[in-house]
Amino acid sequence: GIQVEQSPPDLILQEGANSTLRCNFSDSVNNLQWFHQNPWGQLINLFYIPSGTKQNGRLSATTVATERYSLLYISSSQTTDSGVYFCAVVSYNTDKLIFGTGTRLQVFP
Amino acid sequence: EAGVAQSPRYKIIEKRQSVAFWCNPISGHATLYWYQQILGQGPKLLIQFQNNGVVDDSQLPKDRFSAERLKGVDSTLKIQPAKLEDSAVYLCASSLYRETGELFFGEGSRLTVL
């Protein structure tokens, strides 16, 4: 099945710093989403982005489907950005949403 | 628009007991999913419904887990008998379209098996 790897696995930032999270996948996809799992366990939708670039406030995402990766940019990070960031994909061979390994982000004041 | 509703939020049981979780998806969403998330890991798909039919249950431990989605709306996930390794958060999600639809998750039901 499709493999979804995220990097880095852990990231520690000071408030105000910028960061880039990466998601690599091993097969062509027709669905890619980024989620933020907050400390209470809720999965919050950030982006639905099977291709192209989107921006929402301090966050933006880019998916280059032909090269099988997606990037999530966080600018001017805040302590509320802490949590685990997951990318999840649906490959053309299946209609299951498969989650990546996650990036744990800690933002300190 | 109301989100995905799940209950109970927390449940503590002893091993070999049974437990049931309930999910009400976003109105109009035909596809419903149950995921299991063990601490420190990403969510793992247990079962996927399209309306009231099962699309994929290949990772559902059928000797102890069962799920149904009567009338194509609400869904129930049951575990009987529970094992210690079933301690996890059970997440329900729904989407409008199966392959290309954006998934929306409920707050989850946290199960602790003692």
Side-chain angles (χ1 to χ4, degrees), chain A residues 39-96:
Chain A
W40 296 270
Q42 173 84 42
L43 276 166
I44 309 295
N45 291 45
L46 296 178
F47 293 102
Y48 171 74
I49 187 167
S51 65
T53 298
K54 289 186 179 180
Q55 179 152 10
N56 184 4
R58 296 181 296 103
L59 273 60
S60 64
T62 295
T63 297
V64 184
T66 52
E67 296 187 23
R68 299 183 183 173
Y69 73 88
S70 183
L71 301 173
L72 178 69
Y73 305 95
I74 304 174
S75 64
S76 303
S77 58
Q78 300 175 358
T79 55
T80 51
D81 295 331
S82 297
V84 182
Y85 289 80
F86 288 104
C87 76
V89 303
V90 178
S91 73
Y92 281 105
N93 295 324
T94 175
D95 56 6
K96 292 192 252 191

Side-chain angles (χ1 to χ4, degrees), chain B residues 15-42:
Chain B
K15 59 183 178 183
R16 291 187 289 274
Q17 287 186 324
S18 63
V19 62
F21 302 111
W22 172 83
C23 172
N24 183 244
I26 293 172
S27 177
H29 282 196
T31 312
L32 184 146
Y33 313 77
W34 283 102
Y35 282 81
Q36 179 194 57
Q37 187 175 22
I38 293 172
L39 188 65
Q41 300 179 17

Side-chain angles (χ1 to χ4, degrees), chain A residues 15-59:
Chain A
E15 217 169 16
N18 302 328
S19 62
T20 301
L21 283 58
R22 186 176 181 102
C23 171
N24 291 331
F25 40 94
S26 60
D27 201 356
S28 299
V29 300
N30 59 9
N31 182 342
L32 187 147
Q33 292 184 237
W34 282 97
F35 295 92
H36 174 217
Q37 189 161 44
N38 63 24
W40 296 270
Q42 173 84 42
L43 276 166
I44 309 295
N45 291 45
L46 296 178
F47 293 102
Y48 171 74
I49 187 167
S51 65
T53 298
K54 289 186 179 180
Q55 179 152 10
N56 184 4
R58 296 181 296 103
L59 273 60

Side-chain angles (χ1 to χ4, degrees), chain B residues 12-104:
Chain B
I12 300 174
I13 62 173
E14 295 189 349
K15 59 183 178 183
R16 291 187 289 274
Q17 287 186 324
S18 63
V19 62
F21 302 111
W22 172 83
C23 172
N24 183 244
I26 293 172
S27 177
H29 282 196
T31 312
L32 184 146
Y33 313 77
W34 283 102
Y35 282 81
Q36 179 194 57
Q37 187 175 22
I38 293 172
L39 188 65
Q41 300 179 17
K44 181 186 85 172
L45 180 67
L46 291 176
I47 189 167
Q48 179 180 342
F49 292 94
Q50 181 70 17
N51 296 308
N52 60 349
V54 175
V55 172
D56 189 313
D57 63 356
S58 57
Q59 299 208 77
L60 187 74
K62 298 181 186 64
D63 57 333
R64 297 182 301 103
F65 285 64
S66 65
E68 61 182 10
R69 190 183 183 197
L70 300 175
K71 299 179 183 178
V73 182
D74 294 9
S75 178
T76 303
L77 176 70
K78 295 180 181 176
I79 307 174
Q80 182 178 17
K83 292 186 174 181
L84 297 177
E85 58 261 37
D86 298 332
S87 294
V89 176
Y90 291 87
L91 295 159
C92 180
S94 70
S95 69
L96 195 55
Y97 305 112
R98 209 167 97 188
E99 289 89 4
T100 58
E102 185 175 3
L103 267 73
F104 295 89

